[in-house]
Amino acid sequence: MAYDIFLFDLDGTLTDSSLGITNSVIYALKKYGITVEDRRSLYRFIGPPLTDSFRDFYGFSEEKALEAVGFYREYYRDKGIFENRVYEGMEETLKELKNRGKRLIVATSKPEPFARRIIDHFGLAPYFEYVAGMELDGGRGTKAEVIAYALSACGIEDRSGAVMVGDREHDVAGARKEGLPCIGVLYGFGSREELEKAGAEWIISRPEELCDLI
C-alpha cells in the first residue's frame, strides 16, 4: 500500500470521545424534555454532523436541530470536549508513520476550533501537518467538504498518494466522493458490516495495523 498522505478522522479514530459526546447530547435533549435510558444508543451521534443526527434520530426540524447543537455546545465547549482519551497504541502509530516520512492530516466533522483544542490538549499536534474541520456556523458540513478543504489547505493537488482513515460510513463515503480510498477501523464506533457496505478498501482492528499495511 503505497500512500504518503494519511487523513485521519478524529472521534472514534484518534480518540474515544464517547463520554463527552453522549453527555453533551444528553444535556441538549433534556432541554426538550427527552431522557435517555441507554447511553450507548447515542453512539450513533459520533461521526455524522450533529444537525443531521438530531434531525434523523429525533425528528427535529432544521431550525430545531440547529438550536439543539447550540445547547450541545454549552456543555461540550468547556467540559465534554475533554471527557475523551487517545486510543491505546495511537500515538505510537502516529510517531512511526511520521518516522517513515508520511504526511498526516486531521479531517473531522467536528468544528475545527474544538478539534484543534483536542489535538493540542492530548499532545498530538506535533504529528499533524494540519487540523481540518467544519466551521462553527455549519459550513463544510459534510466529510467530503472537509476532506477537500484539508487537501487544499495543505497544497495537495495530486490525490493519488492520499488515503482516509475513519471508523464510520461517512468517512468512507466522503473519501470516495473526493476520489480517495478509505481504511476503516473497528476499534471506533462503526461495525465491520457498516464499513464493508460503505466500500472501505481495508479494515483494521488496532491502530498499530496501519503500520503493517504500509
Side-chain angles (χ1 to χ4, degrees):
M1 196 177 79
Y3 292 98
D4 296 315
I5 304 164
F6 288 75
L7 283 75
F8 284 84
D9 174 47
L10 179 53
D11 297 323
T13 302
L14 294 173
T15 69
D16 178 355
S17 53
S18 56
L19 182 60
I21 289 178
T22 54
N23 279 344
S24 301
V25 174
I26 289 169
Y27 176 89
L29 291 175
K30 281 183 178 178
K31 299 290 187 179
Y32 302 96
I34 300 171
T35 58
V36 178
E37 299 297 331
D38 180 9
R39 177 186 297 273
R40 292 185 63 85
S41 70
L42 299 178
Y43 281 6
R44 55 188 177 173
F45 274 80
I46 304 172
L50 286 169
T51 49
D52 293 357
S53 295
F54 281 114
R55 182 193 65 215
D56 296 343
F57 305 143
Y58 285 92
F60 284 16
S61 66
E62 196 69 27
E63 181 179 0
K64 189 175 179 180
L66 287 170
E67 180 185 55
V69 170
F71 290 136
Y72 171 99
R73 289 177 181 167
E74 285 181 6
Y75 182 93
Y76 186 82
R77 184 174 287 108
D78 296 312
K79 189 170 182 180
I81 189 171
F82 298 128
E83 293 176 329
N84 201 348
R85 67 177 181 86
V86 179
Y87 282 111
E88 184 177 352
M90 178 51 69
E91 185 167 5
E92 293 80 2
T93 297
L94 296 175
K95 184 180 295 185
E96 177 62 23
L97 291 173
K98 286 287 285 186
N99 287 341
R100 297 190 191 188
K102 307 302 181 182
R103 298 175 67 181
L104 310 182
I105 303 165
V106 175
T108 174
S109 292
K110 183 182 294 299
E112 191 168 300
F114 293 159
R116 290 181 179 276
R117 286 180 66 192
I118 291 167
I119 293 298
D120 288 342
H121 177 78
F122 288 109
L124 300 180
Y127 303 110
F128 291 102
E129 178 176 339
Y130 197 81
V131 177
M134 71 175 292
E135 297 175 295
L136 280 168
D137 65 1
R140 293 195 298 270
T142 69
K143 181 52 69 87
E145 290 174 317
V146 172
I147 291 171
Y149 161 66
L151 294 172
S152 175
C154 294
I156 299 167
E157 297 182 0
D158 180 2
R159 301 183 176 192
S160 62
V163 62
M164 181 72 201
V165 184
D167 68 313
R168 299 300 308 274
E169 61 184 330
H170 308 83
D171 299 308
V172 184
R176 292 173 70 89
K177 186 170 182 179
E178 293 301 315
L180 273 59
C182 187
I183 301 169
V185 305
L186 293 178
Y187 56 81
F189 301 99
S191 65
R192 179 178 292 276
E193 180 182 11
E194 175 183 335
L195 293 167
E196 288 179 345
K197 186 176 179 180
E201 280 77 6
W202 303 272
I203 297 178
I204 62 174
S205 299
R206 297 179 296 108
E208 298 89 337
E209 292 178 33
L210 266 176
C211 297
D212 297 334
L213 274 180
I214 63 172

